[in-house]
Coordinates of all heavy atoms in Angstrom, one line a residue:
M1 N 25.1 -9.0 -5.5 CA 23.7 -8.6 -5.7 C 23.6 -7.1 -5.2 O 24.0 -6.9 -4.1 CB 22.8 -9.5 -5.1 CG 21.3 -9.3 -5.5 SD 20.2 -10.0 -4.3 CE 20.5 -11.7 -4.4
T2 N 22.9 -6.3 -5.9 CA 22.6 -4.9 -5.4 C 21.5 -5.0 -4.4 O 20.6 -5.8 -4.5 CB 22.3 -3.9 -6.5 OG1 22.0 -4.7 -7.7 CG2 23.4 -3.0 -6.8
E3 N 21.5 -4.0 -3.5 CA 20.4 -4.0 -2.5 C 19.2 -3.3 -3.0 O 19.2 -2.4 -3.8 CB 21.0 -3.2 -1.2 CG 22.1 -3.9 -0.5 CD 21.7 -5.2 0.1 OE1 20.6 -5.2 0.8 OE2 22.5 -6.2 0.1
I4 N 18.1 -3.7 -2.5 CA 16.8 -3.1 -2.8 C 16.8 -1.7 -2.2 O 17.3 -1.5 -1.1 CB 15.6 -3.9 -2.2 CG1 15.5 -5.2 -3.0 CG2 14.3 -3.1 -2.3 CD1 14.4 -6.1 -2.5
L5 N 16.3 -0.7 -2.9 CA 16.3 0.7 -2.4 C 15.4 0.8 -1.2 O 14.3 0.2 -1.2 CB 15.8 1.6 -3.5 CG 16.6 1.8 -4.8 CD1 15.9 2.8 -5.7 CD2 18.0 2.2 -4.5
N6 N 15.8 1.6 -0.2 CA 15.0 1.8 0.9 C 13.9 2.9 0.5 O 13.9 3.4 -0.6 CB 15.8 2.3 2.1 CG 16.5 3.6 1.9 OD1 16.0 4.5 1.3 ND2 17.7 3.7 2.5
D7 N 12.9 3.1 1.4 CA 11.8 4.0 1.0 C 12.2 5.4 0.6 O 11.7 5.9 -0.4 CB 10.8 4.0 2.2 CG 10.0 2.7 2.4 OD1 10.3 1.8 1.6 OD2 9.2 2.7 3.3
A8 N 13.2 5.9 1.4 CA 13.6 7.3 1.1 C 14.3 7.3 -0.3 O 14.1 8.3 -1.1 CB 14.6 7.7 2.2
D9 N 15.2 6.4 -0.6 CA 15.9 6.3 -1.9 C 14.9 6.1 -3.0 O 15.1 6.6 -4.1 CB 17.0 5.3 -1.9 CG 18.2 5.7 -1.0 OD1 18.3 6.9 -0.6 OD2 19.0 4.8 -0.7
R10 N 13.9 5.3 -2.8 CA 12.9 5.0 -3.8 C 12.1 6.3 -4.1 O 11.9 6.6 -5.3 CB 12.0 3.9 -3.4 CG 10.9 3.5 -4.4 CD 9.7 2.8 -3.8 NE 9.1 3.7 -2.7 CZ 8.5 3.3 -1.7 NH1 8.4 2.0 -1.4 NH2 8.0 4.1 -0.8
D11 N 11.7 7.0 -3.0 CA 11.0 8.2 -3.2 C 11.8 9.3 -4.0 O 11.3 10.0 -4.8 CB 10.5 8.8 -1.9 CG 9.4 7.9 -1.3 OD1 8.9 7.0 -2.0 OD2 9.1 8.1 -0.1
A12 N 13.1 9.3 -3.7 CA 14.0 10.3 -4.3 C 14.1 9.9 -5.8 O 14.1 10.8 -6.6 CB 15.4 10.3 -3.7
L13 N 14.2 8.7 -6.1 CA 14.3 8.2 -7.5 C 13.0 8.6 -8.3 O 13.1 9.1 -9.4 CB 14.5 6.7 -7.5 CG 14.7 6.1 -8.9 CD1 16.0 6.6 -9.5 CD2 14.6 4.6 -8.9
L14 N 11.9 8.4 -7.6 CA 10.6 8.7 -8.3 C 10.5 10.2 -8.5 O 9.9 10.6 -9.5 CB 9.4 8.1 -7.5 CG 9.3 6.6 -7.6 CD1 8.3 6.1 -6.6 CD2 8.9 6.1 -9.0
A15 N 11.0 11.0 -7.6 CA 10.9 12.4 -7.8 C 11.8 12.8 -8.9 O 11.5 13.8 -9.7 CB 11.4 13.1 -6.5
E16 N 12.9 12.1 -9.1 CA 13.8 12.4 -10.2 C 13.3 12.0 -11.6 O 13.3 12.7 -12.5 CB 15.2 11.8 -9.9 CG 16.2 11.9 -11.1 CD 17.4 11.0 -11.0 OE1 17.6 10.4 -9.9 OE2 18.0 10.7 -12.1
L17 N 12.8 10.7 -11.6 CA 12.4 10.1 -12.9 C 10.9 10.3 -13.2 O 10.5 10.2 -14.4 CB 12.8 8.6 -12.9 CG 14.2 8.3 -12.8 CD1 14.5 6.8 -12.8 CD2 15.0 8.9 -14.1
G18 N 10.1 10.6 -12.2 CA 8.7 10.9 -12.4 C 8.4 11.9 -13.5 O 7.6 11.6 -14.4
P19 N 9.1 13.0 -13.5 CA 8.9 14.0 -14.6 C 9.2 13.5 -16.0 O 8.8 14.0 -17.0 CB 9.8 15.2 -14.2 CG 10.0 15.0 -12.7 CD 10.0 13.6 -12.5
K20 N 10.0 12.4 -16.0 CA 10.4 11.8 -17.3 C 9.4 10.7 -17.7 O 9.6 10.0 -18.8 CB 11.8 11.3 -17.3 CG 12.8 12.5 -17.0 CD 14.2 12.1 -17.0 CE 15.0 13.4 -16.9 NZ 16.5 13.2 -16.9
G21 N 8.4 10.4 -16.9 CA 7.4 9.5 -17.2 C 7.4 8.2 -16.5 O 6.6 7.3 -16.7
W22 N 8.4 8.0 -15.6 CA 8.5 6.8 -14.9 C 7.6 6.7 -13.7 O 7.5 7.7 -12.9 CB 10.0 6.6 -14.4 CG 10.9 6.3 -15.5 CD1 11.7 7.3 -16.1 CD2 11.3 5.1 -16.1 NE1 12.5 6.7 -17.1 CE2 12.3 5.3 -17.1 CE3 10.9 3.7 -15.9 CZ2 12.9 4.3 -17.9 CZ3 11.5 2.7 -16.6 CH2 12.5 3.0 -17.6
T23 N 6.9 5.6 -13.5 CA 6.1 5.4 -12.3 C 6.4 4.1 -11.7 O 7.0 3.2 -12.3 CB 4.6 5.4 -12.7 OG1 4.3 4.4 -13.7 CG2 4.1 6.8 -13.2
L24 N 6.0 3.9 -10.4 CA 6.2 2.7 -9.7 C 5.2 1.6 -10.2 O 4.1 2.0 -10.5 CB 6.0 2.9 -8.2 CG 6.6 1.9 -7.2 CD1 8.1 1.9 -7.3 CD2 6.1 2.3 -5.8
T25 N 5.6 0.4 -10.4 CA 4.7 -0.7 -10.8 C 3.7 -0.9 -9.7 O 3.9 -0.6 -8.5 CB 5.4 -2.0 -11.1 OG1 6.2 -2.3 -10.0 CG2 6.3 -1.8 -12.3
D26 N 2.6 -1.6 -10.1 CA 1.5 -1.8 -9.1 C 2.0 -2.6 -7.9 O 1.6 -2.4 -6.8 CB 0.3 -2.6 -9.8 CG -0.5 -1.7 -10.7 OD1 -0.3 -0.4 -10.6 OD2 -1.2 -2.2 -11.5
D27 N 2.9 -3.6 -8.1 CA 3.4 -4.4 -7.0 C 4.5 -3.7 -6.2 O 5.0 -4.2 -5.2 CB 3.9 -5.8 -7.5 CG 5.1 -5.7 -8.5 OD1 5.7 -4.6 -8.6 OD2 5.4 -6.8 -9.0
G28 N 4.9 -2.5 -6.7 CA 5.9 -1.7 -6.0 C 7.4 -2.3 -6.2 O 8.3 -1.8 -5.6
K29 N 7.5 -3.3 -7.0 CA 8.9 -3.9 -7.1 C 9.7 -3.5 -8.3 O 10.8 -4.0 -8.6 CB 8.7 -5.4 -7.2 CG 8.2 -6.0 -5.9 CD 8.1 -7.5 -6.0 CE 7.7 -8.1 -4.6 NZ 7.7 -9.6 -4.6
G30 N 9.1 -2.5 -9.1 CA 9.8 -2.0 -10.2 C 9.3 -0.7 -10.7 O 8.5 0.0 -10.0
I31 N 9.9 -0.2 -11.7 CA 9.4 1.1 -12.3 C 9.1 0.9 -13.8 O 9.7 0.0 -14.4 CB 10.5 2.2 -12.2 CG1 11.9 1.8 -12.6 CG2 10.5 2.7 -10.7 CD1 12.9 2.8 -12.6
Q32 N 8.2 1.6 -14.3 CA 7.7 1.5 -15.7 C 7.6 2.8 -16.4 O 7.4 3.9 -15.8 CB 6.4 0.7 -15.7 CG 5.3 1.5 -15.0 CD 4.1 0.6 -14.8 OE1 4.1 -0.6 -15.0 NE2 3.0 1.2 -14.3
C33 N 7.8 2.8 -17.7 CA 7.7 4.0 -18.5 C 7.3 3.6 -19.9 O 7.7 2.5 -20.5 CB 9.0 4.7 -18.5 SG 9.0 6.3 -19.3
Q34 N 6.5 4.4 -20.6 CA 6.2 4.2 -22.0 C 7.0 5.2 -22.9 O 6.9 6.4 -22.6 CB 4.7 4.4 -22.3 CG 4.4 4.2 -23.7 CD 2.8 4.1 -23.9 OE1 2.3 5.2 -24.3 NE2 2.2 3.0 -23.7
F35 N 7.7 4.7 -23.8 CA 8.5 5.6 -24.7 C 7.8 5.6 -26.1 O 7.4 4.5 -26.6 CB 9.9 5.0 -24.9 CG 10.7 5.2 -23.7 CD1 10.7 4.2 -22.6 CD2 11.6 6.2 -23.5 CE1 11.4 4.4 -21.5 CE2 12.3 6.4 -22.3 CZ 12.3 5.4 -21.3
K36 N 7.6 6.7 -26.7 CA 7.0 6.8 -28.0 C 8.0 7.5 -29.0 O 8.7 8.5 -28.7 CB 5.7 7.7 -27.9 CG 4.5 6.9 -27.3 CD 3.2 7.4 -27.8 CE 2.7 6.7 -29.0 NZ 1.3 7.1 -29.4
F37 N 8.0 6.9 -30.2 CA 8.8 7.4 -31.2 C 8.0 7.8 -32.5 O 6.8 7.5 -32.5 CB 9.9 6.3 -31.6 CG 10.7 5.9 -30.4 CD1 10.2 4.9 -29.5 CD2 11.9 6.5 -30.1 CE1 10.9 4.5 -28.4 CE2 12.6 6.1 -29.0 CZ 12.1 5.2 -28.1
G38 N 8.7 8.3 -33.5 CA 8.0 8.7 -34.6 C 7.6 7.6 -35.5 O 6.6 7.6 -36.2
T39 N 8.5 6.6 -35.6 CA 8.4 5.5 -36.5 C 8.8 4.1 -35.8 O 9.5 4.2 -34.8 CB 9.2 5.7 -37.7 OG1 10.6 5.7 -37.3 CG2 8.9 7.0 -38.4
F40 N 8.5 3.1 -36.4 CA 9.0 1.8 -35.9 C 10.5 1.7 -36.0 O 11.1 1.2 -35.0 CB 8.3 0.6 -36.7 CG 8.9 -0.7 -36.4 CD1 8.7 -1.3 -35.2 CD2 9.7 -1.4 -37.3 CE1 9.2 -2.5 -34.8 CE2 10.3 -2.6 -37.0 CZ 10.1 -3.2 -35.8
P41 N 11.2 2.1 -37.1 CA 12.6 2.0 -37.1 C 13.3 2.8 -36.0 O 14.3 2.4 -35.4 CB 13.0 2.6 -38.5 CG 11.8 2.3 -39.3 CD 10.6 2.5 -38.4
E42 N 12.7 4.0 -35.6 CA 13.3 4.7 -34.5 C 13.1 4.0 -33.2 O 14.0 3.9 -32.4 CB 12.5 6.1 -34.4 CG 12.9 7.1 -35.5 CD 12.1 8.3 -35.4 OE1 12.1 9.0 -34.3 OE2 11.5 8.7 -36.4
A43 N 12.0 3.4 -33.0 CA 11.7 2.6 -31.8 C 12.7 1.4 -31.7 O 13.3 1.2 -30.7 CB 10.3 2.1 -31.7
L44 N 12.9 0.7 -32.8 CA 13.7 -0.4 -32.9 C 15.2 0.0 -32.7 O 15.9 -0.7 -32.0 CB 13.6 -1.1 -34.2 CG 14.3 -2.4 -34.4 CD1 13.9 -3.4 -33.4 CD2 14.1 -3.0 -35.8
G45 N 15.6 1.1 -33.3 CA 17.0 1.6 -33.1 C 17.3 1.9 -31.6 O 18.3 1.5 -31.1
W46 N 16.3 2.5 -31.0 CA 16.5 2.8 -29.6 C 16.6 1.5 -28.7 O 17.4 1.4 -27.9 CB 15.2 3.6 -29.1 CG 15.3 4.0 -27.7 CD1 16.0 5.0 -27.1 CD2 14.6 3.3 -26.6 NE1 15.7 5.1 -25.7 CE2 14.9 4.0 -25.4 CE3 13.8 2.2 -26.5 CZ2 14.4 3.6 -24.2 CZ3 13.3 1.8 -25.3 CH2 13.6 2.5 -24.1
M47 N 15.8 0.5 -29.1 CA 15.8 -0.8 -28.4 C 17.2 -1.4 -28.6 O 17.7 -2.0 -27.6 CB 14.7 -1.7 -28.9 CG 13.3 -1.2 -28.5 SD 12.0 -2.3 -29.1 CE 12.0 -3.6 -27.9
V48 N 17.7 -1.3 -29.7 CA 19.0 -2.0 -30.0 C 20.1 -1.2 -29.2 O 20.9 -1.9 -28.5 CB 19.4 -1.9 -31.5 CG1 20.9 -2.3 -31.7 CG2 18.5 -2.8 -32.3
R49 N 20.1 0.1 -29.2 CA 21.0 0.9 -28.4 C 20.9 0.5 -26.9 O 21.9 0.3 -26.2 CB 20.9 2.4 -28.5 CG 21.2 2.9 -29.9 CD 21.3 4.4 -30.0 NE 20.1 5.1 -29.7 CZ 19.1 5.3 -30.5 NH1 19.1 4.8 -31.7 NH2 18.0 6.0 -30.1
M50 N 19.7 0.5 -26.4 CA 19.5 0.2 -25.0 C 19.8 -1.3 -24.7 O 20.3 -1.6 -23.5 CB 18.0 0.5 -24.6 CG 17.7 2.0 -24.6 SD 18.8 3.0 -23.6 CE 19.5 4.0 -24.9
G51 N 19.6 -2.1 -25.6 CA 19.8 -3.5 -25.4 C 21.3 -3.8 -25.3 O 21.8 -4.6 -24.4
I52 N 22.1 -3.0 -26.0 CA 23.6 -3.2 -25.9 C 24.1 -2.6 -24.5 O 24.9 -3.3 -23.8 CB 24.3 -2.4 -27.0 CG1 24.0 -3.1 -28.4 CG2 25.8 -2.2 -26.8 CD1 24.4 -2.3 -29.6
I53 N 23.5 -1.6 -24.0 CA 23.8 -1.0 -22.7 C 23.4 -2.0 -21.7 O 24.1 -2.3 -20.7 CB 23.1 0.3 -22.5 CG1 23.8 1.4 -23.4 CG2 23.2 0.7 -21.0 CD1 23.0 2.8 -23.4
A54 N 22.2 -2.5 -21.8 CA 21.7 -3.5 -20.8 C 22.5 -4.8 -20.7 O 22.8 -5.2 -19.6 CB 20.2 -3.9 -21.2
E55 N 23.0 -5.2 -21.9 CA 23.8 -6.4 -21.9 C 25.1 -6.2 -21.2 O 25.6 -7.0 -20.4 CB 24.0 -6.9 -23.3 CG 24.9 -8.1 -23.5 CD 24.3 -9.4 -22.8 OE1 23.1 -9.4 -22.5 OE2 25.1 -10.3 -22.6
K56 N 25.7 -5.0 -21.4 CA 27.0 -4.6 -20.8 C 26.8 -4.5 -19.2 O 27.7 -4.9 -18.5 CB 27.5 -3.3 -21.3 CG 28.1 -3.4 -22.6 CD 28.7 -2.0 -23.1 CE 29.3 -2.1 -24.5 NZ 29.2 -0.7 -25.2
M57 N 25.6 -4.1 -18.8 CA 25.3 -3.9 -17.4 C 24.9 -5.3 -16.8 O 24.8 -5.4 -15.6 CB 24.1 -3.0 -17.2 CG 24.4 -1.6 -17.4 SD 22.9 -0.5 -17.3 CE 22.5 -0.7 -15.6
N58 N 24.7 -6.3 -17.6 CA 24.1 -7.5 -17.2 C 22.8 -7.3 -16.4 O 22.5 -7.9 -15.4 CB 25.0 -8.4 -16.4 CG 24.5 -9.8 -16.2 OD1 23.8 -10.3 -17.0 ND2 24.9 -10.4 -15.1
H59 N 22.0 -6.3 -16.9 CA 20.7 -6.0 -16.3 C 19.8 -5.7 -17.4 O 19.9 -4.7 -18.2 CB 20.9 -4.7 -15.4 CG 19.8 -4.6 -14.5 ND1 19.5 -5.5 -13.5 CD2 18.8 -3.6 -14.4 CE1 18.4 -5.1 -12.8 NE2 18.0 -3.9 -13.4
H60 N 18.7 -6.5 -17.5 CA 17.9 -6.5 -18.7 C 16.5 -6.1 -18.5 O 15.9 -6.4 -17.5 CB 17.9 -7.9 -19.3 CG 19.3 -8.5 -19.5 ND1 20.0 -9.2 -18.6 CD2 20.2 -8.3 -20.5 CE1 21.2 -9.5 -19.1 NE2 21.4 -8.9 -20.3
P61 N 15.9 -5.3 -19.4 CA 14.6 -4.8 -19.3 C 13.5 -5.8 -19.6 O 13.8 -6.8 -20.4 CB 14.5 -3.6 -20.3 CG 15.5 -4.1 -21.4 CD 16.6 -4.8 -20.7
E62 N 12.4 -5.7 -19.0 CA 11.2 -6.3 -19.5 C 10.5 -5.3 -20.4 O 10.3 -4.2 -19.9 CB 10.2 -6.7 -18.4 CG 10.8 -7.7 -17.4 CD 9.9 -7.9 -16.2 OE1 8.7 -7.5 -16.3 OE2 10.4 -8.4 -15.2
W63 N 10.3 -5.6 -21.7 CA 9.7 -4.6 -22.5 C 8.9 -5.2 -23.7 O 9.1 -6.4 -24.0 CB 10.8 -3.6 -23.1 CG 11.9 -4.2 -23.8 CD1 12.1 -5.5 -24.3 CD2 13.1 -3.5 -24.2 NE1 13.3 -5.6 -24.9 CE2 14.0 -4.5 -24.9 CE3 13.6 -2.2 -24.0 CZ2 15.2 -4.1 -25.4 CZ3 14.8 -1.9 -24.5 CH2 15.6 -2.8 -25.2
T64 N 7.9 -4.4 -24.1 CA 7.2 -4.9 -25.3 C 7.2 -3.7 -26.3 O 7.2 -2.5 -25.9 CB 5.7 -5.2 -25.0 OG1 5.1 -4.1 -24.3 CG2 5.7 -6.5 -24.1
N65 N 7.2 -4.0 -27.6 CA 7.1 -3.0 -28.6 C 5.9 -3.2 -29.4 O 5.6 -4.4 -29.9 CB 8.5 -3.1 -29.4 CG 8.3 -2.5 -30.8 OD1 8.5 -3.2 -31.8 ND2 8.0 -1.2 -30.9
V66 N 5.2 -2.2 -29.7 CA 4.1 -2.2 -30.7 C 4.3 -1.0 -31.6 O 4.2 0.2 -31.1 CB 2.7 -2.1 -30.1 CG1 1.6 -2.1 -31.1 CG2 2.5 -3.3 -29.2
Y67 N 4.7 -1.2 -32.8 CA 4.9 -0.1 -33.8 C 5.9 0.9 -33.2 O 7.1 0.6 -33.1 CB 3.6 0.5 -34.3 CG 3.8 1.7 -35.2 CD1 4.6 1.6 -36.3 CD2 3.0 2.8 -35.1 CE1 4.8 2.7 -37.2 CE2 3.1 3.9 -35.9 CZ 4.0 3.8 -37.0 OH 4.2 4.9 -37.9
N68 N 5.5 2.1 -32.9 CA 6.4 3.2 -32.5 C 6.4 3.3 -31.0 O 6.9 4.3 -30.4 CB 6.0 4.5 -33.1 CG 4.6 5.0 -32.6 OD1 3.8 4.2 -32.1 ND2 4.3 6.2 -32.8
R69 N 5.9 2.3 -30.2 CA 5.8 2.5 -28.8 C 6.6 1.3 -28.1 O 6.6 0.2 -28.6 CB 4.3 2.3 -28.4 CG 3.9 2.8 -27.0 CD 2.5 2.6 -26.8 NE 2.1 1.1 -26.6 CZ 1.1 0.5 -27.1 NH1 0.2 1.1 -27.9 NH2 0.9 -0.8 -26.9
V70 N 7.3 1.7 -27.0 CA 8.0 0.6 -26.2 C 7.6 0.8 -24.8 O 7.8 1.9 -24.2 CB 9.5 0.7 -26.4 CG1 10.2 -0.4 -25.6 CG2 10.0 0.7 -27.8
D71 N 7.0 -0.2 -24.2 CA 6.6 -0.2 -22.8 C 7.7 -1.0 -22.0 O 7.9 -2.1 -22.3 CB 5.2 -0.9 -22.6 CG 4.1 0.0 -23.2 OD1 3.8 1.0 -22.5 OD2 3.6 -0.3 -24.2
V72 N 8.3 -0.3 -21.0 CA 9.4 -0.8 -20.3 C 9.1 -1.0 -18.8 O 8.5 -0.1 -18.2 CB 10.6 0.1 -20.4 CG1 11.8 -0.4 -19.7 CG2 11.0 0.4 -21.9
T73 N 9.5 -2.1 -18.3 CA 9.4 -2.3 -16.8 C 10.8 -2.7 -16.4 O 11.4 -3.6 -17.0 CB 8.5 -3.4 -16.4 OG1 7.1 -3.0 -16.8 CG2 8.5 -3.6 -14.9
L74 N 11.4 -2.1 -15.4 CA 12.7 -2.4 -14.8 C 12.5 -2.9 -13.4 O 11.9 -2.2 -12.6 CB 13.6 -1.2 -14.9 CG 13.9 -0.6 -16.2 CD1 14.8 0.6 -16.1 CD2 14.4 -1.6 -17.2
T75 N 13.1 -4.1 -13.1 CA 13.0 -4.6 -11.7 C 14.3 -5.5 -11.6 O 14.8 -5.9 -12.6 CB 11.8 -5.4 -11.5 OG1 11.8 -5.8 -10.1 CG2 11.6 -6.6 -12.4
S76 N 14.7 -5.7 -10.4 CA 15.9 -6.6 -10.2 C 15.4 -7.9 -9.7 O 15.1 -8.1 -8.4 CB 16.9 -5.9 -9.3 OG 17.3 -4.7 -9.8
H77 N 15.2 -8.9 -10.5 CA 14.7 -10.2 -10.1 C 15.6 -10.8 -9.1 O 15.1 -11.4 -8.1 CB 14.6 -11.1 -11.3 CG 13.8 -10.6 -12.4 ND1 14.3 -10.0 -13.5 CD2 12.4 -10.6 -12.5 CE1 13.3 -9.6 -14.3 NE2 12.1 -9.9 -13.7
D78 N 16.9 -10.7 -9.2 CA 17.9 -11.3 -8.3 C 17.6 -10.8 -6.9 O 17.6 -11.6 -5.9 CB 19.3 -10.9 -8.6 CG 19.7 -11.4 -10.0 OD1 18.9 -12.0 -10.7 OD2 20.9 -11.3 -10.4
A79 N 17.3 -9.5 -6.8 CA 17.2 -8.9 -5.5 C 15.7 -8.9 -5.0 O 15.4 -8.7 -3.8 CB 17.7 -7.5 -5.5
G80 N 14.8 -9.1 -5.9 CA 13.4 -9.2 -5.6 C 12.7 -7.8 -5.5 O 11.8 -7.6 -4.7
G81 N 13.3 -6.8 -6.2 CA 12.7 -5.5 -6.1 C 13.5 -4.4 -6.8 O 14.3 -4.8 -7.7
L82 N 13.3 -3.2 -6.5 CA 13.9 -2.1 -7.1 C 15.3 -1.8 -6.6 O 15.4 -1.6 -5.3 CB 12.9 -0.9 -7.0 CG 13.2 0.4 -7.8 CD1 13.1 0.2 -9.2 CD2 12.2 1.5 -7.3
T83 N 16.3 -1.7 -7.5 CA 17.6 -1.4 -7.0 C 18.3 -0.3 -7.8 O 17.7 0.3 -8.8 CB 18.5 -2.6 -7.2 OG1 18.7 -2.9 -8.6 CG2 17.9 -3.9 -6.5
T84 N 19.5 0.1 -7.4 CA 20.3 1.1 -8.1 C 20.5 0.8 -9.6 O 20.6 1.6 -10.4 CB 21.6 1.4 -7.5 OG1 22.2 0.2 -7.3 CG2 21.4 2.1 -6.1
L85 N 20.6 -0.5 -9.9 CA 20.7 -0.9 -11.3 C 19.5 -0.5 -12.2 O 19.7 -0.1 -13.3 CB 20.9 -2.5 -11.4 CG 22.3 -3.0 -11.1 CD1 22.3 -4.5 -11.2 CD2 23.3 -2.4 -12.0
D86 N 18.3 -0.7 -11.6 CA 17.1 -0.2 -12.3 C 17.2 1.3 -12.5 O 16.9 1.8 -13.6 CB 15.9 -0.6 -11.5 CG 15.8 -2.1 -11.3 OD1 15.9 -2.8 -12.3 OD2 15.6 -2.5 -10.2
A87 N 17.6 2.0 -11.5 CA 17.8 3.5 -11.6 C 18.8 3.9 -12.7 O 18.5 4.8 -13.5 CB 18.2 4.1 -10.3
K88 N 19.9 3.1 -12.7 CA 20.9 3.4 -13.7 C 20.4 3.2 -15.1 O 20.7 4.1 -16.0 CB 22.1 2.6 -13.4 CG 23.4 2.9 -14.2 CD 24.6 2.0 -13.7 CE 25.7 2.3 -14.6 NZ 26.9 1.3 -14.3
L89 N 19.8 2.1 -15.4 CA 19.3 1.8 -16.7 C 18.2 2.8 -17.1 O 18.1 3.2 -18.3 CB 18.8 0.3 -16.8 CG 18.4 -0.2 -18.1 CD1 19.5 0.0 -19.2 CD2 18.1 -1.7 -18.1
A90 N 17.3 3.1 -16.1 CA 16.2 4.1 -16.4 C 16.8 5.4 -16.9 O 16.3 6.1 -17.8 CB 15.3 4.2 -15.2
R91 N 17.8 5.9 -16.2 CA 18.5 7.1 -16.6 C 19.0 7.1 -17.9 O 18.9 8.0 -18.7 CB 19.6 7.5 -15.5 CG 19.1 7.9 -14.2 CD 20.2 8.5 -13.3 NE 19.7 8.7 -11.9 CZ 20.0 7.9 -11.0 NH1 20.8 6.8 -11.1 NH2 19.5 8.1 -9.8
K92 N 19.7 6.0 -18.3 CA 20.2 5.9 -19.6 C 19.1 5.9 -20.7 O 19.2 6.5 -21.7 CB 21.0 4.5 -19.8 CG 22.1 4.4 -18.8 CD 23.4 4.5 -19.5 CE 24.6 4.2 -18.6 NZ 25.9 4.8 -19.1
M93 N 18.0 5.2 -20.4 CA 16.9 5.2 -21.3 C 16.3 6.6 -21.5 O 15.9 6.9 -22.6 CB 15.8 4.2 -20.8 CG 16.2 2.7 -20.9 SD 14.9 1.7 -20.3 CE 15.5 0.1 -21.1
S94 N 16.2 7.3 -20.5 CA 15.5 8.6 -20.5 C 16.5 9.7 -21.1 O 16.1 10.8 -21.5 CB 15.0 9.1 -19.2 OG 13.8 8.3 -18.9
A95 N 17.8 9.4 -21.1 CA 18.8 10.3 -21.6 C 19.0 10.2 -23.1 O 19.5 11.1 -23.7 CB 20.1 10.1 -20.8
D96 N 18.7 9.0 -23.7 CA 19.0 8.8 -25.1 C 18.2 9.7 -26.0 O 17.1 9.9 -25.8 CB 18.7 7.3 -25.4 CG 19.0 7.0 -26.9 OD1 18.2 7.3 -27.8 OD2 20.2 6.5 -27.1
Ligands
H2B1 C1 22.6 -14.5 -13.8 C2 22.4 -13.1 -14.1 O1 23.3 -12.3 -13.5 C3 21.0 -12.6 -13.7 O2 20.0 -13.4 -14.3 C4 20.8 -11.2 -14.1 C5 20.6 -10.9 -15.6 N1 19.8 -9.8 -15.9 C6 18.9 -9.2 -15.0 N2 18.1 -8.3 -15.4 C7 17.3 -7.8 -14.5 N3 16.5 -6.8 -14.9 N4 17.1 -8.2 -13.3 C8 17.9 -9.2 -12.8 O3 17.8 -9.6 -11.7 C9 18.8 -9.8 -13.7 N5 19.7 -10.7 -13.3

């Protein structure tokens, strides 16, 4: 199991991903971001690409899709908080 990020590492992660739209969840145990696309097929295609990556990582997003919008929350249930796996998946999502 990966370790929960300490306060300094969490702050560094938010400084890195904040400009890309990621914020800490209200409970502080995850990060969230809203992705917007031009069309539903673009949103769905992105979800499929990210889903394949997530499955390979064995680390899965909590997400909802409405038309061209995907709301994502990343947290590590196993560890009970935010870990480097969440950071890794968030970077992949924001890089696509
Ligand atoms: C048994 C399996 O390794 C776990 O259930 C994995 C699967 N995917 C997961 N995804 C996420 N986001 N957090 C987890 O803690 C997690 N755990």
Side-chain angles (χ1 to χ4, degrees):
M1 191 202 298
T2 16
E3 295 292 319
I4 292 180
L5 296 183
N6 64 35
D7 288 3
D9 288 345
R10 184 202 56 211
D11 290 349
L13 182 70
L14 289 169
E16 176 196 338
L17 294 176
K20 298 181 174 182
W22 292 91
T23 55
L24 201 62
T25 55
D26 288 343
D27 65 8
K29 293 184 173 183
I31 48 176
Q32 59 194 7
C33 189
Q34 181 174 96
F35 292 83
K36 284 204 90 172
F37 301 87
T39 63
F40 173 71
E42 286 174 56
L44 186 61
W46 180 84
M47 291 177 82
V48 170
R49 291 194 298 281
M50 293 306 118
I52 290 167
I53 290 171
E55 180 61 17
K56 283 183 184 154
M57 290 173 65
N58 191 27
H59 195 66
H60 304 93
E62 296 175 17
W63 56 10
T64 57
N65 160 240
V66 178
Y67 178 44
N68 63 341
R69 195 180 76 222
V70 183
D71 289 287
V72 180
T73 298
L74 301 179
T75 183
S76 298
H77 302 102
D78 299 5
L82 189 63
T83 69
T84 51
L85 279 179
D86 300 308
K88 188 176 173 186
L89 187 53
R91 287 190 188 101
K92 298 254 188 202
M93 287 181 162
S94 288
D96 181 274

